[in-house]
Each structure stands twice: as structure tokens, then as C-alpha cells.
Amino acid sequence: MTAHRWDPLLVDGLAVDLCAVAGLARPRRREPVRVHRLSGVERLYLGGQRTRILKYTRPRPPFPGEDRALALAAARGVPVPRMEAATVRNGVLGILLEDLGGTLRAARPVDGATVVARLHKGGPAHGLPVLDRPTLAALPGRALTLVDHLRHRDRLDNHAILHRALNALVAVAARRACGADIPPFGVCHGQLHPSAVHIGSRGARLLDLAMAHNGPGLLDIASWVGAGRPPNTHAMGHLIGLYRALAGIPEADTNRGGLPASVWALGWQRMHAAVCHLHQAVNGDSDERAVRADVEAATRHIVSAAVLLAK
């Protein structure tokens, strides 16, 4: 959502409640950092030089609840921002975090591979969504259901392209989902990209775990390559090799579902991203531009996934 779409009284109330739980002074003002239609990040000024970060979202697909993921990651020794409080107000989840300040530099592939390997190595965790072989195989069918839902609401123009690509994926999904449990399989970030790794004065911190789940770690690596660009199997293969060396997981580059690991991971990451965009289009508000953007992104990902997985 854009900033004006979130009720300012609701956000103010979340900020006050969270600071009270954390034993902090009432915030004097808040400053938007990144606010969208489904979530927001703001900086709270508490007086003097004290600041905190406020995050808020409605905990529903594709955002199951970042507070649980942050607590889990911290317990496993994964470097994440310190969470000071979490609460729900009028169906909106609010999280209060330490303010990491500015970055020293942009995150590099080695930073992403290093920090996410620590997340994957702990194995699956109770209480998080699961993206295993059966769940992967069901993704094209789920996407078809969401596409039909949007079509019946007259919010979809390119349903013929989507149906053709998704039907091709449904036909091969069970076979291509094989190998989902080959290591690395554990807690995954869900939307790993350079901006999700903060490089500051105290080292690297993993951010934005709102879409954390149990699943194949290679999909995180595929996300780093960039879902907004055409699939690059060469770059993906290079990053898998880097990850394999850093994480010490020799199976990382093992073929899966009859495909090279790089092709398999890129295809399923695109399919997973497409379902997330379709969920946002279905669960979002009446902002037609936002729905159209989600549908366009889902279409790109589905077509890419069909090229990679259904060939």
C-alpha cells in the first residue's frame, strides 16, 4: 500500500503498544522508510538519539508471521535484527526492531550465500509453512485456482496465456518436483535478494523474513539471481558453486527432477514467486494498478517457469 492507505491511528497505536511492551518511551514521531499496500517499515524517534524500526503487515498469505521467523532465526544464531516486541492490533501484526542504521556497502553474492547458509543448516522448524515435494508439485494447480478466481472477478485479461503455461506445468509438476528434499533443505528466507542483507558496522544481518518457510534452500539462491530479470542459468550455476563451497553441502549442485540444479531451482523459484503475486492480487485491496502489477509479474514468472520446467 502507499502510505495514505494505512490508517495512521492504527499505525500510531501499534507504535505506542510496542514501545510500552518493550519498556521504551512513547515515540515522538515516525518516519516512513518503505510502505506498500500489504506491509510497511517505519523509523520511530523516541527522543535524544534513540530510534527503533517498526514493521507492520496483515499476517495472511503470502506473509504468515515474521515475528516467529525472526525468533527462530535468532535462536539458531542467524544474524538478524534484534526483535524487542511484537503484537497484533485490529488484525495487523506489528514488530519492533533495533535500528541497524545505514549500510556500509551493498551486499555481495558471498554475503548472501554465507548468511543464508546458516539459516538452511539448522534444518526444518516447527510452525513454519512447508514447501516440500508435494507442495511444489501442487503450485501450478494452486496458481490455476487463483487465476480463475481473478478471471471471475474481471481482474485478468491474459488468462489464455496463463492457462496454457500452467496446464503445461501441471502435466510435469509431479516429476519435476522430485529432489525437493535433497540438501540443502531447511528454513528458507523466501525472498532473498541483495537488499535483504544489511551490511553495517556490526557485520551482516538478514532482513525481511516475512515469507520464511521450510523448503529447498536452492530457491533462496535462485531468488538472489533476480526474479525481475530473465532466468540466467549460468549465473545461477556459479552462485550454487559458491554456496556449495561456503556451506559445505556437496549435494547442492545435484540434479533434481531430471534437470540441472540451476534450471530446477530457477524454475520452481519462479513458480513460487508467481503464486505469491497471485495471492497478493487476490488478497489485496481494490487498487487496480497494484493488482495489475501483481498479475503482470505472475505472468512473467509463470511463462519463465514453463520454459524451464516443462521443456
Side-chain angles (χ1 to χ4, degrees):
M1 281 186 181
T2 51
H4 71 276
R5 293 186 182 275
W6 286 93
D7 180 357
L9 294 180
L10 172 61
V11 179
D12 283 341
L14 278 172
V16 171
D17 289 350
L18 288 165
C19 286
V21 171
L24 298 171
R26 186 185 184 96
R28 297 185 178 184
R29 67 183 178 94
R30 53 187 178 87
E31 174 184 81
V33 176
R34 186 176 68 250
V35 180
H36 304 294
R37 78 184 200 278
L38 295 179
S39 63
V41 179
E42 303 195 15
R43 177 168 282 108
L44 302 181
Y45 291 86
L46 310 180
Q49 301 297 316
R50 295 179 302 165
T51 59
R52 294 294 188 275
I53 294 297
L54 166 68
K55 297 193 71 173
Y56 48 87
T57 187
R58 288 185 169 81
R60 60 189 183 187
F63 304 112
E66 188 174 4
D67 54 330
R68 289 180 295 164
L70 281 165
L72 171 68
R76 292 187 171 192
V78 178
V80 294
R82 184 181 69 255
M83 181 172 64
E84 300 192 12
T87 191
V88 175
R89 185 184 181 100
N90 294 345
V92 176
L93 170 65
I95 303 173
L96 190 68
L97 301 167
E98 66 172 319
D99 189 349
L100 298 175
T103 58
L104 298 179
R105 60 172 174 81
R108 302 173 183 133
V110 66
D111 301 313
T114 299
V115 71
V116 82
R118 296 178 63 177
L119 186 65
H120 297 162
K121 274 191 171 182
H126 177 72
L128 292 180
V130 177
L131 193 63
D132 55 9
R133 177 182 173 182
T135 314
L136 278 181
L139 285 179
R142 283 178 59 194
L144 273 172
T145 299
L146 293 166
V147 163
D148 287 340
H149 184 83
L150 289 167
R151 182 185 179 187
H152 293 151
R153 290 167 57 186
D154 294 324
R155 306 186 92 173
L156 194 65
D157 298 324
N158 55 349
H159 57 85
I161 295 173
L162 287 170
H163 275 87
R164 185 162 54 249
L166 287 171
N167 283 326
L169 285 162
V170 167
V172 301
R175 175 163 53 95
R176 294 304 192 206
C178 291
D181 58 347
I182 296 175
F185 187 93
V187 177
C188 297
H189 183 275
Q191 51 180 355
L192 186 69
H193 42 73
S195 64
V197 179
H198 181 281
I199 308 296
S201 58
R202 289 179 290 161
R205 294 290 184 274
L206 189 61
L207 312 178
D208 300 334
L209 282 89
M211 293 176 66
H213 60 272
N214 296 312
L218 289 190
L219 270 62
D220 274 346
I221 306 302
S223 181
W224 185 280
V225 173
R229 299 190 295 271
N232 186 330
T233 55
H234 176 74
M236 181 63 187
H238 174 76
L239 194 52
I240 289 176
L242 175 64
Y243 174 90
R244 181 180 184 273
L246 289 169
I249 300 176
E251 304 94 332
D253 57 1
T254 301
N255 287 2
R256 294 156 165 79
L259 295 170
S262 59
V263 176
W264 184 91
L266 284 169
W268 281 118
Q269 189 276 330
R270 295 307 195 267
M271 189 66 250
H272 184 235
V275 170
C276 291
H277 279 290
L278 291 172
H279 269 299
Q280 289 179 178
V282 169
N283 293 333
D285 57 9
S286 58
D287 187 333
E288 292 297 331
R289 289 180 300 175
V291 170
R292 186 164 54 251
D294 278 323
V295 169
E296 289 174 355
T299 301
R300 290 195 306 272
H301 298 330
I302 288 168
V303 171
S304 291
V307 170
L308 292 161
L309 300 175
K311 60 183 179 181

